[in-house]
Short mmCIF file of all heavy atoms in Angstrom, two decimals:
data_model
loop_
_atom_site.label_atom_id
_atom_site.label_comp_id
_atom_site.label_asym_id
_atom_site.label_seq_id
_atom_site.Cartn_x
_atom_site.Cartn_y
_atom_site.Cartn_z
N ILE A 1376 -0.38 -11.68 11.52
CA ILE A 1376 -0.37 -11.93 10.09
C ILE A 1376 -1.80 -12.18 9.62
O ILE A 1376 -2.53 -12.97 10.22
CB ILE A 1376 0.53 -13.13 9.74
CG1 ILE A 1376 1.99 -12.77 10.02
CG2 ILE A 1376 0.36 -13.54 8.28
CD1 ILE A 1376 2.94 -13.89 9.77
N VAL A 1377 -2.19 -11.50 8.57
CA VAL A 1377 -3.53 -11.62 8.03
C VAL A 1377 -3.45 -12.36 6.70
O VAL A 1377 -2.56 -12.12 5.89
CB VAL A 1377 -4.17 -10.23 7.81
CG1 VAL A 1377 -5.58 -10.36 7.27
CG2 VAL A 1377 -4.17 -9.45 9.12
N PHE A 1378 -4.37 -13.30 6.50
CA PHE A 1378 -4.39 -14.02 5.24
C PHE A 1378 -5.82 -14.36 4.86
O PHE A 1378 -6.74 -14.30 5.68
CB PHE A 1378 -3.54 -15.30 5.31
CG PHE A 1378 -3.99 -16.30 6.35
CD1 PHE A 1378 -4.83 -17.34 6.01
CD2 PHE A 1378 -3.55 -16.20 7.66
CE1 PHE A 1378 -5.24 -18.26 6.96
CE2 PHE A 1378 -3.95 -17.12 8.61
CZ PHE A 1378 -4.81 -18.15 8.26
N SER A 1379 -6.01 -14.66 3.58
CA SER A 1379 -7.32 -15.08 3.10
C SER A 1379 -7.26 -16.57 2.81
O SER A 1379 -6.26 -17.07 2.28
CB SER A 1379 -7.72 -14.31 1.85
OG SER A 1379 -6.81 -14.56 0.79
N ALA A 1380 -8.32 -17.28 3.14
CA ALA A 1380 -8.40 -18.72 2.89
C ALA A 1380 -9.83 -19.07 2.55
O ALA A 1380 -10.73 -18.88 3.37
CB ALA A 1380 -7.93 -19.50 4.12
N ASN A 1381 -10.00 -19.55 1.32
CA ASN A 1381 -11.34 -19.93 0.86
C ASN A 1381 -12.34 -18.79 1.06
O ASN A 1381 -13.43 -18.99 1.58
CB ASN A 1381 -11.82 -21.19 1.59
CG ASN A 1381 -10.89 -22.36 1.35
OD1 ASN A 1381 -10.38 -22.55 0.25
ND2 ASN A 1381 -10.64 -23.15 2.39
N CYS A 1382 -11.93 -17.60 0.65
CA CYS A 1382 -12.77 -16.38 0.70
C CYS A 1382 -13.03 -15.90 2.12
O CYS A 1382 -13.91 -15.06 2.34
CB CYS A 1382 -14.09 -16.59 -0.02
SG CYS A 1382 -13.92 -16.97 -1.77
N LYS A 1383 -12.30 -16.40 3.09
CA LYS A 1383 -12.46 -15.94 4.47
C LYS A 1383 -11.16 -15.29 4.93
O LYS A 1383 -10.08 -15.83 4.73
CB LYS A 1383 -12.82 -17.10 5.40
CG LYS A 1383 -14.18 -17.74 5.11
CD LYS A 1383 -14.47 -18.85 6.09
CE LYS A 1383 -15.83 -19.49 5.81
NZ LYS A 1383 -16.11 -20.60 6.75
N TYR A 1384 -11.27 -14.12 5.57
CA TYR A 1384 -10.10 -13.45 6.11
C TYR A 1384 -9.83 -13.97 7.51
O TYR A 1384 -10.73 -14.09 8.33
CB TYR A 1384 -10.32 -11.95 6.15
CG TYR A 1384 -10.52 -11.36 4.79
CD1 TYR A 1384 -11.73 -10.77 4.44
CD2 TYR A 1384 -9.51 -11.41 3.84
CE1 TYR A 1384 -11.93 -10.24 3.19
CE2 TYR A 1384 -9.70 -10.88 2.58
CZ TYR A 1384 -10.91 -10.29 2.26
OH TYR A 1384 -11.10 -9.78 1.02
N LYS A 1385 -8.56 -14.26 7.77
CA LYS A 1385 -8.16 -14.79 9.06
C LYS A 1385 -6.95 -14.04 9.58
O LYS A 1385 -6.17 -13.48 8.80
CB LYS A 1385 -7.86 -16.30 8.94
CG LYS A 1385 -9.07 -17.14 8.52
CD LYS A 1385 -8.69 -18.60 8.34
CE LYS A 1385 -9.90 -19.41 7.91
NZ LYS A 1385 -10.89 -19.53 9.00
N CYS A 1386 -6.79 -14.05 10.89
CA CYS A 1386 -5.68 -13.37 11.53
C CYS A 1386 -4.96 -14.36 12.43
O CYS A 1386 -5.57 -15.00 13.29
CB CYS A 1386 -6.19 -12.18 12.34
SG CYS A 1386 -4.92 -11.26 13.21
N TYR A 1387 -3.65 -14.51 12.21
CA TYR A 1387 -2.85 -15.43 13.02
C TYR A 1387 -1.95 -14.63 13.95
O TYR A 1387 -1.21 -13.75 13.52
CB TYR A 1387 -2.00 -16.33 12.12
CG TYR A 1387 -1.12 -17.28 12.90
CD1 TYR A 1387 -1.60 -18.52 13.31
CD2 TYR A 1387 0.18 -16.94 13.25
CE1 TYR A 1387 -0.80 -19.39 14.05
CE2 TYR A 1387 0.98 -17.79 13.99
CZ TYR A 1387 0.49 -19.01 14.39
OH TYR A 1387 1.28 -19.87 15.11
N HIS A 1388 -2.01 -14.94 15.24
CA HIS A 1388 -1.19 -14.28 16.25
C HIS A 1388 -0.14 -15.26 16.74
O HIS A 1388 -0.47 -16.29 17.33
CB HIS A 1388 -2.06 -13.79 17.42
CG HIS A 1388 -1.38 -12.79 18.29
ND1 HIS A 1388 -0.23 -13.06 18.99
CD2 HIS A 1388 -1.67 -11.49 18.56
CE1 HIS A 1388 0.15 -12.01 19.67
NE2 HIS A 1388 -0.70 -11.03 19.43
N HIS A 1389 1.14 -14.93 16.52
CA HIS A 1389 2.20 -15.90 16.81
C HIS A 1389 2.40 -16.12 18.30
O HIS A 1389 2.86 -17.18 18.72
CB HIS A 1389 3.51 -15.44 16.17
CG HIS A 1389 4.18 -14.30 16.89
ND1 HIS A 1389 3.83 -12.99 16.68
CD2 HIS A 1389 5.18 -14.29 17.81
CE1 HIS A 1389 4.59 -12.21 17.43
NE2 HIS A 1389 5.40 -12.96 18.13
N GLU A 1390 2.04 -15.14 19.15
CA GLU A 1390 2.26 -15.30 20.59
C GLU A 1390 1.25 -16.25 21.22
O GLU A 1390 1.58 -17.00 22.12
CB GLU A 1390 2.21 -13.94 21.27
CG GLU A 1390 3.38 -13.02 20.88
CD GLU A 1390 3.33 -11.70 21.62
OE1 GLU A 1390 2.33 -11.45 22.33
OE2 GLU A 1390 4.30 -10.93 21.49
N THR A 1391 0.02 -16.22 20.74
CA THR A 1391 -1.01 -17.11 21.29
C THR A 1391 -1.23 -18.35 20.43
O THR A 1391 -1.93 -19.27 20.84
CB THR A 1391 -2.35 -16.36 21.42
OG1 THR A 1391 -2.77 -15.92 20.11
CG2 THR A 1391 -2.20 -15.15 22.32
N ASN A 1392 -0.63 -18.34 19.23
CA ASN A 1392 -0.77 -19.46 18.29
C ASN A 1392 -2.23 -19.73 17.95
O ASN A 1392 -2.66 -20.87 17.79
CB ASN A 1392 -0.13 -20.73 18.86
CG ASN A 1392 0.14 -21.76 17.78
OD1 ASN A 1392 0.45 -21.42 16.63
ND2 ASN A 1392 0.03 -23.03 18.11
N LYS A 1393 -3.02 -18.64 17.83
CA LYS A 1393 -4.44 -18.77 17.52
C LYS A 1393 -4.77 -18.10 16.20
O LYS A 1393 -4.14 -17.13 15.80
CB LYS A 1393 -5.29 -18.15 18.65
CG LYS A 1393 -5.22 -18.90 19.97
CD LYS A 1393 -6.13 -18.26 21.00
CE LYS A 1393 -6.09 -19.04 22.32
NZ LYS A 1393 -6.97 -18.41 23.35
N ILE A 1394 -5.79 -18.63 15.54
CA ILE A 1394 -6.30 -18.07 14.30
C ILE A 1394 -7.71 -17.54 14.55
O ILE A 1394 -8.56 -18.24 15.09
CB ILE A 1394 -6.32 -19.11 13.18
CG1 ILE A 1394 -4.89 -19.57 12.85
CG2 ILE A 1394 -6.99 -18.56 11.92
CD1 ILE A 1394 -4.82 -20.65 11.81
N THR A 1395 -7.95 -16.28 14.18
CA THR A 1395 -9.25 -15.65 14.36
C THR A 1395 -9.87 -15.34 13.01
O THR A 1395 -9.21 -14.78 12.13
CB THR A 1395 -9.11 -14.34 15.16
OG1 THR A 1395 -8.44 -14.60 16.40
CG2 THR A 1395 -10.47 -13.72 15.44
N ASP A 1396 -11.13 -15.73 12.83
CA ASP A 1396 -11.84 -15.36 11.61
C ASP A 1396 -12.16 -13.88 11.66
O ASP A 1396 -12.65 -13.35 12.66
CB ASP A 1396 -13.14 -16.15 11.49
CG ASP A 1396 -12.90 -17.62 11.17
OD1 ASP A 1396 -11.84 -17.92 10.60
OD2 ASP A 1396 -13.76 -18.45 11.50
N LEU A 1397 -11.88 -13.19 10.53
CA LEU A 1397 -12.14 -11.76 10.47
C LEU A 1397 -13.45 -11.45 9.76
O LEU A 1397 -14.28 -10.72 10.26
CB LEU A 1397 -10.99 -11.04 9.76
CG LEU A 1397 -9.64 -11.09 10.47
CD1 LEU A 1397 -8.62 -10.30 9.69
CD2 LEU A 1397 -9.75 -10.53 11.87
N HIS A 1398 -13.62 -12.00 8.57
CA HIS A 1398 -14.80 -11.63 7.81
C HIS A 1398 -14.99 -12.64 6.68
O HIS A 1398 -14.02 -13.16 6.15
CB HIS A 1398 -14.65 -10.23 7.23
CG HIS A 1398 -15.93 -9.61 6.75
ND1 HIS A 1398 -16.94 -9.24 7.60
CD2 HIS A 1398 -16.37 -9.33 5.50
CE1 HIS A 1398 -17.93 -8.72 6.90
NE2 HIS A 1398 -17.61 -8.77 5.62
N ASN A 1399 -16.21 -12.89 6.33
CA ASN A 1399 -16.52 -13.80 5.23
C ASN A 1399 -16.94 -12.96 4.03
O ASN A 1399 -17.97 -12.31 4.06
CB ASN A 1399 -17.65 -14.75 5.62
CG ASN A 1399 -17.86 -15.84 4.58
OD1 ASN A 1399 -17.19 -15.85 3.55
ND2 ASN A 1399 -18.76 -16.75 4.84
N GLN A 1400 -16.14 -12.96 3.01
CA GLN A 1400 -16.39 -12.10 1.86
C GLN A 1400 -15.85 -12.76 0.60
O GLN A 1400 -14.76 -13.31 0.60
CB GLN A 1400 -15.69 -10.75 2.07
CG GLN A 1400 -15.92 -9.75 0.95
CD GLN A 1400 -17.30 -9.17 0.99
OE1 GLN A 1400 -17.89 -9.09 2.05
NE2 GLN A 1400 -17.82 -8.78 -0.16
N GLU A 1401 -16.63 -12.72 -0.48
CA GLU A 1401 -16.17 -13.28 -1.74
C GLU A 1401 -15.07 -12.43 -2.32
O GLU A 1401 -15.05 -11.21 -2.16
CB GLU A 1401 -17.34 -13.38 -2.73
CG GLU A 1401 -18.42 -14.37 -2.32
CD GLU A 1401 -17.90 -15.80 -2.28
OE1 GLU A 1401 -17.05 -16.13 -3.12
OE2 GLU A 1401 -18.34 -16.57 -1.42
N GLY A 1402 -14.17 -13.07 -3.04
CA GLY A 1402 -13.13 -12.32 -3.72
C GLY A 1402 -11.76 -12.60 -3.14
O GLY A 1402 -11.61 -13.14 -2.05
N TYR A 1403 -10.74 -12.21 -3.88
CA TYR A 1403 -9.36 -12.39 -3.48
C TYR A 1403 -8.67 -11.03 -3.45
O TYR A 1403 -9.26 -10.02 -3.82
CB TYR A 1403 -8.66 -13.36 -4.45
CG TYR A 1403 -9.32 -14.71 -4.48
CD1 TYR A 1403 -10.40 -14.96 -5.33
CD2 TYR A 1403 -8.90 -15.72 -3.63
CE1 TYR A 1403 -11.03 -16.19 -5.34
CE2 TYR A 1403 -9.52 -16.96 -3.64
CZ TYR A 1403 -10.58 -17.19 -4.50
OH TYR A 1403 -11.20 -18.41 -4.49
N THR A 1404 -7.46 -10.99 -3.02
CA THR A 1404 -6.80 -9.72 -2.78
C THR A 1404 -5.56 -9.55 -3.63
O THR A 1404 -4.90 -10.52 -4.00
CB THR A 1404 -6.40 -9.59 -1.31
OG1 THR A 1404 -5.56 -10.68 -0.96
CG2 THR A 1404 -7.61 -9.58 -0.42
N GLU A 1405 -5.24 -8.29 -3.92
CA GLU A 1405 -4.01 -7.96 -4.64
C GLU A 1405 -3.16 -7.04 -3.77
O GLU A 1405 -2.69 -7.45 -2.73
CB GLU A 1405 -4.37 -7.31 -5.98
CG GLU A 1405 -4.63 -8.33 -7.09
CD GLU A 1405 -3.42 -9.20 -7.39
OE1 GLU A 1405 -2.46 -8.69 -7.98
OE2 GLU A 1405 -3.44 -10.37 -7.05
N GLU A 1406 -2.98 -5.76 -4.19
CA GLU A 1406 -2.14 -4.87 -3.41
C GLU A 1406 -2.71 -4.67 -2.01
O GLU A 1406 -3.92 -4.54 -1.83
CB GLU A 1406 -2.02 -3.51 -4.11
CG GLU A 1406 -1.32 -3.55 -5.44
CD GLU A 1406 -2.30 -3.71 -6.59
OE1 GLU A 1406 -3.48 -3.36 -6.43
OE2 GLU A 1406 -1.89 -4.19 -7.65
N CYS A 1407 -1.83 -4.66 -1.03
CA CYS A 1407 -2.25 -4.53 0.37
C CYS A 1407 -1.22 -3.69 1.12
O CYS A 1407 -0.02 -3.97 1.05
CB CYS A 1407 -2.39 -5.91 1.00
SG CYS A 1407 -2.93 -5.89 2.71
N PHE A 1408 -1.69 -2.65 1.83
CA PHE A 1408 -0.79 -1.74 2.53
C PHE A 1408 -1.35 -1.42 3.91
O PHE A 1408 -2.56 -1.49 4.14
CB PHE A 1408 -0.61 -0.43 1.75
CG PHE A 1408 -0.01 -0.60 0.38
CD1 PHE A 1408 -0.82 -0.75 -0.73
CD2 PHE A 1408 1.37 -0.63 0.22
CE1 PHE A 1408 -0.27 -0.92 -1.99
CE2 PHE A 1408 1.92 -0.80 -1.04
CZ PHE A 1408 1.10 -0.94 -2.14
N SER A 1409 -0.46 -1.03 4.82
CA SER A 1409 -0.89 -0.54 6.12
C SER A 1409 -1.57 0.81 5.93
O SER A 1409 -1.20 1.61 5.08
CB SER A 1409 0.31 -0.38 7.06
OG SER A 1409 0.94 -1.62 7.28
N TYR A 1410 -2.59 1.07 6.76
CA TYR A 1410 -3.36 2.31 6.62
C TYR A 1410 -3.69 2.87 7.99
O TYR A 1410 -4.04 2.13 8.91
CB TYR A 1410 -4.66 2.03 5.85
CG TYR A 1410 -5.62 3.21 5.82
CD1 TYR A 1410 -5.45 4.23 4.91
CD2 TYR A 1410 -6.69 3.28 6.72
CE1 TYR A 1410 -6.32 5.31 4.88
CE2 TYR A 1410 -7.57 4.35 6.70
CZ TYR A 1410 -7.37 5.37 5.77
OH TYR A 1410 -8.24 6.43 5.76
N LYS A 1411 -3.55 4.19 8.14
CA LYS A 1411 -3.96 4.91 9.32
C LYS A 1411 -4.80 6.11 8.89
O LYS A 1411 -4.33 6.95 8.12
CB LYS A 1411 -2.74 5.42 10.11
CG LYS A 1411 -2.04 4.37 10.94
CD LYS A 1411 -2.83 4.03 12.19
CE LYS A 1411 -2.04 3.12 13.13
NZ LYS A 1411 -2.79 2.78 14.33
N ALA A 1412 -6.04 6.19 9.36
CA ALA A 1412 -6.89 7.32 9.02
C ALA A 1412 -6.29 8.61 9.55
O ALA A 1412 -5.73 8.66 10.65
CB ALA A 1412 -8.29 7.11 9.59
N SER A 1413 -6.38 9.69 8.76
CA SER A 1413 -5.78 10.96 9.16
C SER A 1413 -6.62 12.11 8.65
O SER A 1413 -7.58 11.94 7.88
CB SER A 1413 -4.34 11.08 8.62
OG SER A 1413 -4.36 11.44 7.25
N LEU A 1414 -6.25 13.32 9.06
CA LEU A 1414 -6.91 14.55 8.62
C LEU A 1414 -6.10 15.28 7.57
O LEU A 1414 -6.39 16.44 7.26
CB LEU A 1414 -7.13 15.47 9.83
CG LEU A 1414 -8.10 14.95 10.90
CD1 LEU A 1414 -7.96 15.79 12.18
CD2 LEU A 1414 -9.53 14.99 10.40
N PHE A 1415 -5.09 14.66 6.98
CA PHE A 1415 -4.22 15.34 6.03
C PHE A 1415 -5.01 15.83 4.83
O PHE A 1415 -5.74 15.08 4.18
CB PHE A 1415 -3.10 14.41 5.58
CG PHE A 1415 -1.91 14.42 6.49
CD1 PHE A 1415 -1.88 13.62 7.63
CD2 PHE A 1415 -0.82 15.23 6.24
CE1 PHE A 1415 -0.81 13.63 8.48
CE2 PHE A 1415 0.27 15.25 7.08
CZ PHE A 1415 0.28 14.44 8.21
N PHE A 1416 -4.83 17.11 4.54
CA PHE A 1416 -5.49 17.76 3.41
C PHE A 1416 -4.42 18.47 2.58
O PHE A 1416 -3.61 19.22 3.13
CB PHE A 1416 -6.52 18.77 3.91
CG PHE A 1416 -7.21 19.54 2.81
CD1 PHE A 1416 -8.35 19.03 2.21
CD2 PHE A 1416 -6.70 20.75 2.37
CE1 PHE A 1416 -8.99 19.73 1.18
CE2 PHE A 1416 -7.33 21.46 1.35
CZ PHE A 1416 -8.48 20.94 0.75
N LEU A 1417 -4.39 18.21 1.29
CA LEU A 1417 -3.40 18.81 0.40
C LEU A 1417 -4.03 19.92 -0.43
O LEU A 1417 -5.22 19.86 -0.79
CB LEU A 1417 -2.81 17.75 -0.53
CG LEU A 1417 -2.16 16.53 0.14
CD1 LEU A 1417 -1.60 15.59 -0.92
CD2 LEU A 1417 -1.07 16.95 1.12
N GLU A 1418 -3.23 20.92 -0.73
CA GLU A 1418 -3.69 22.01 -1.58
C GLU A 1418 -4.14 21.45 -2.93
O GLU A 1418 -3.42 20.70 -3.58
CB GLU A 1418 -2.55 23.02 -1.80
CG GLU A 1418 -2.96 24.27 -2.51
CD GLU A 1418 -3.86 25.16 -1.67
OE1 GLU A 1418 -3.74 25.10 -0.43
OE2 GLU A 1418 -4.66 25.92 -2.26
N GLY A 1419 -5.34 21.81 -3.33
CA GLY A 1419 -5.89 21.31 -4.58
C GLY A 1419 -6.89 20.19 -4.40
O GLY A 1419 -7.53 19.77 -5.38
N MET A 1420 -7.04 19.68 -3.17
CA MET A 1420 -8.03 18.64 -2.94
C MET A 1420 -9.44 19.20 -3.01
O MET A 1420 -9.68 20.36 -2.64
CB MET A 1420 -7.80 17.98 -1.58
CG MET A 1420 -6.73 16.90 -1.58
SD MET A 1420 -6.67 16.01 0.00
CE MET A 1420 -5.78 14.53 -0.48
N LYS A 1421 -10.36 18.36 -3.47
CA LYS A 1421 -11.77 18.70 -3.56
C LYS A 1421 -12.59 17.56 -2.97
O LYS A 1421 -12.07 16.46 -2.76
CB LYS A 1421 -12.17 18.92 -5.01
CG LYS A 1421 -11.40 20.00 -5.76
CD LYS A 1421 -11.83 20.06 -7.20
CE LYS A 1421 -11.05 21.12 -7.96
NZ LYS A 1421 -11.46 21.17 -9.40
N PRO A 1422 -13.89 17.79 -2.71
CA PRO A 1422 -14.74 16.66 -2.31
C PRO A 1422 -14.64 15.55 -3.34
O PRO A 1422 -14.65 15.78 -4.54
CB PRO A 1422 -16.14 17.29 -2.28
CG PRO A 1422 -15.90 18.73 -1.99
CD PRO A 1422 -14.61 19.08 -2.69
N GLN A 1423 -14.51 14.30 -2.85
CA GLN A 1423 -14.17 13.20 -3.74
C GLN A 1423 -15.19 12.98 -4.86
O GLN A 1423 -14.83 12.54 -5.95
CB GLN A 1423 -14.01 11.92 -2.94
CG GLN A 1423 -15.27 11.46 -2.21
CD GLN A 1423 -15.02 10.23 -1.35
OE1 GLN A 1423 -13.92 10.04 -0.84
NE2 GLN A 1423 -16.04 9.42 -1.18
N HIS A 1424 -16.46 13.31 -4.63
CA HIS A 1424 -17.45 13.10 -5.67
C HIS A 1424 -17.26 14.05 -6.86
O HIS A 1424 -17.82 13.84 -7.93
CB HIS A 1424 -18.87 13.24 -5.11
CG HIS A 1424 -19.21 14.63 -4.64
ND1 HIS A 1424 -18.96 15.05 -3.37
CD2 HIS A 1424 -19.78 15.68 -5.28
CE1 HIS A 1424 -19.35 16.31 -3.23
NE2 HIS A 1424 -19.85 16.72 -4.38
N GLN A 1425 -16.47 15.13 -6.66
CA GLN A 1425 -16.16 16.03 -7.76
C GLN A 1425 -14.93 15.59 -8.54
O GLN A 1425 -14.63 16.15 -9.60
CB GLN A 1425 -15.95 17.45 -7.22
CG GLN A 1425 -17.16 18.06 -6.54
CD GLN A 1425 -16.88 19.44 -6.02
OE1 GLN A 1425 -15.88 20.08 -6.37
NE2 GLN A 1425 -17.76 19.94 -5.15
#
Side-chain angles (χ1 to χ4, degrees):
I1376 292 178
V1377 181
F1378 61 94
S1379 62
N1381 301 321
C1382 298
K1383 295 181 180 179
Y1384 298 115
K1385 298 177 180 290
C1386 179
Y1387 178 87
H1388 196 299
H1389 75 276
E1390 293 183 353
T1391 61
N1392 198 33
K1393 292 183 179 179
I1394 296 177
T1395 305
D1396 289 335
L1397 295 182
H1398 196 69
N1399 189 357
Q1400 181 75 27
E1401 294 296 325
Y1403 300 86
T1404 57
E1405 275 298 288
E1406 295 93 23
C1407 181
F1408 299 93
S1409 298
Y1410 172 81
K1411 282 285 188 181
S1413 78
L1414 295 166
F1415 274 84
F1416 178 88
L1417 303 181
E1418 188 70 28
M1420 278 187 162
K1421 302 177 181 179
Q1423 63 184 30
H1424 66 272
Q1425 298 180 14

